Amino acid sequence: QVQVVESGGGLVQAGGSLRLSCTTPGRTFSGYAMGWFRQAPGKEREFVAAITWSGYNTNYADSVKGRFTISRDTAKNTVYLIMNSLKPEDTAVYYCAVSRYGSTSYANSNAYAHWGQGTQVTVSS
C-alpha cells in the first residue's frame, strides 16, 4: 500500500496564499500522474488540479484556473499545489492522490489509486 502524505494546510485570510505539499514516503511515484482534490463540508469531493508524470501537462478545475498552480519535483518526490488569491469558497479538506496512469492528468477521481488523509485549508473572509 502506498502512503500518501499531504502538508501545508492552515488558516489564511481571503486574498492570501498557501502552498500544499504531497509526498509518498518510502516509495517514488515517478511515472505516475498526480492530482489534488478537495471536499468542502456537505459537498462531494471535487477535482482541483492534476499533473502528468513528466510535469509537462497540467489540468485545472475552472474554479481555480489562474489562481492555483500544480507542480512536481521528481528529485524530492514531492508534488505542490500553490494557491494564490484564496477565497472563502476554497475552504475544504484538500487531498493528494496518485494516478493509475502516467501520461494523462485525469480529473476523474476513479483514475486515482492511492489517496492521502487530507489537509485542512480554511480561508476567512
Side-chain angles (χ1 to χ4, degrees), residues 4 6 9 14 16 23-25 38 40 42 51 60 64 69 71 79 85 90 96 111-112 122 124-125:
V4 182
E6 306 98 336
T23 189
T24 55
R38 68 185 181 186
I51 188 167
Y60 295 93
V64 306
T69 301
S71 64
V79 170
S85 302
D90 294 317
C96 178
Y112 295 83
T122 303
S124 63
S125 58

Side-chain angles (χ1 to χ4, degrees), residues 1-124:
Q1 185 69 19
V2 175
Q3 184 183 12
V4 182
V5 180
E6 306 98 336
S7 62
L11 173 63
V12 63
Q13 289 187 334
S17 299
L18 281 175
R19 186 181 77 165
L20 305 184
S21 300
C22 171
T23 189
T24 55
R27 182 168 174 175
T28 180
F29 53 76
S30 61
Y32 295 93
M34 300 289 293
W36 286 96
F37 291 75
R38 68 185 181 186
Q39 187 167 18
K43 295 187 177 181
E44 294 187 352
R45 187 174 299 186
E46 65 175 2
F47 170 73
V48 176
I51 188 167
T52 55
W53 71 270
S54 66
Y56 291 149
N57 293 307
T58 56
N59 187 13
Y60 295 93
D62 288 343
S63 59
V64 306
K65 280 181 182 177
R67 300 188 298 121
F68 291 11
T69 301
I70 188 171
S71 64
R72 67 191 302 166
D73 185 333
T74 303
K76 295 183 178 180
N77 198 39
T78 301
V79 170
Y80 303 99
L81 184 67
I82 299 169
M83 306 184 294
N84 296 320
S85 302
L86 282 162
K87 305 174 181 180
E89 51 263 43
D90 294 317
T91 295
V93 177
Y94 283 70
Y95 298 90
C96 178
V98 181
S99 176
R100 305 177 195 275
Y101 314 101
S103 58
T104 303
S105 52
Y106 289 106
N108 190 325
S109 61
N110 291 330
Y112 295 83
H114 306 287
W115 294 80
Q117 293 299 307
T119 184
Q120 176 71 46
V121 171
T122 303
V123 184
S124 63

